[in-house]
Amino acid sequence: MLTDEYRYKILKLIEANPSISQRELASQLDISLGKTNFCLKALIEKGLLKASNFKNSKKKSAYLYFLTPKGFEEKASVSVRFLKHKMREYEKLEAEIAQIRNDLNQQKESDIE
Amino acid sequence: MLTDEYRYKILKLIEANPSISQRELASQLDISLGKTNFCLKALIEKGLLKASNFKNSKKKSAYLYFLTPKGFEEKASVSVRFLKHKMREYEKLEAEIAQIRNDLNQQKESDIE
DNA sequence: CTCAATCTGTTCACTGAGTGAACAGACTCT
DNA sequence: AGAGTCTGTTCACTCAGTGAACAGATTGAG
């Protein structure tokens, strides 16, 4: 449920904007509020993130999220891991596309017969 | 639930082997027997596939599935549609990979500071 | 100050896709 | 005949995901 994809994206978004709300996070991640809340708690549970409720300049009553040292480490390694994952997907997709193209060519040939 | 992906794959597998069983189909599609049964029925419902229980040479008591004329038409058009879909995915993935690479470079730079 | 409005995080009943064990029927072989 | 094996079909169950509803905090206008 808390995949590398969301680890990566959440750590990145929070580093860029520590005062982001869970609703805004959900919107940018294109997932529900409930899932966002779950992932966030999981990251805090793992010690990658901390939430402080220090009063922010202009915000209402929200948390300030920030990456722990462990969080920075994880962000670096999850980036690499996620990149490798995406590259494998890329290669698979490339092969799949080639195969569909091949099938389409064979379809055309059998049309001629 | 019956996505273009399974339309395409099922029509292709059945054209290649009309005496394939639902369990074998499920195995090759890497989905459950229940979902395979559902998709198959949906394709029959739409008139793309027909199931005849003519006695097959060496099989036990299975159906013979075959594509209707409409099924052949659909197979041709779904191939193209599916290919385009995969190509869009491919481009998205390419952009995503580039962005992760960019982030990794920025991470390294901020490490030096 | 007061109270309504608006933000926040949290919860949890609900949904729906997907699963696979279990079943009934048809066939084969001894 | 009967045991074994294949078939398609069903359906109770699971579980990730959803988002309306809630409680608490802050703000701002009257």
Side-chain angles (χ1 to χ4, degrees), chain B residues 21-23 33 37 41 62 65:
Chain B
S21 74
Q22 293 188 11
R23 278 174 179 80
L33 179 59
N37 184 269
K41 282 189 174 176
Y65 302 102

Side-chain angles (χ1 to χ4, degrees), chain B residues 20-85:
Chain B
I20 192 170
S21 74
Q22 293 188 11
R23 278 174 179 80
E24 178 61 25
L25 216 40
S27 168
Q28 289 197 33
L29 293 170
D30 208 37
I31 57 178
S32 72
L33 179 59
K35 185 175 178 181
T36 301
N37 184 269
F38 179 90
C39 289
L40 225 37
K41 282 189 174 176
L43 288 174
I44 290 171
E45 179 78 19
K46 289 180 193 301
L48 307 182
L49 227 51
K50 277 233 170 187
S52 83
N53 46 7
F54 279 17
K55 291 167 188 172
N56 192 11
S57 55
K58 290 180 180 177
K59 284 287 168 185
K60 303 303 166 60
S61 66
Y63 285 146
L64 265 183
Y65 302 102
F66 57 90
L67 278 66
T68 64
K70 209 172 170 182
F72 280 104
E73 281 179 35
E74 175 64 12
K75 196 208 162 198
S77 65
V78 79
S79 295
V80 176
R81 213 186 317 146
F82 188 49
L83 175 62
K84 283 183 183 170
H85 175 70

Side-chain angles (χ1 to χ4, degrees), chain A residues 21-23 33 37 41 65:
Chain A
S21 73
Q22 293 187 10
R23 279 176 179 79
L33 179 59
N37 184 268
K41 281 190 174 175
Y65 302 103

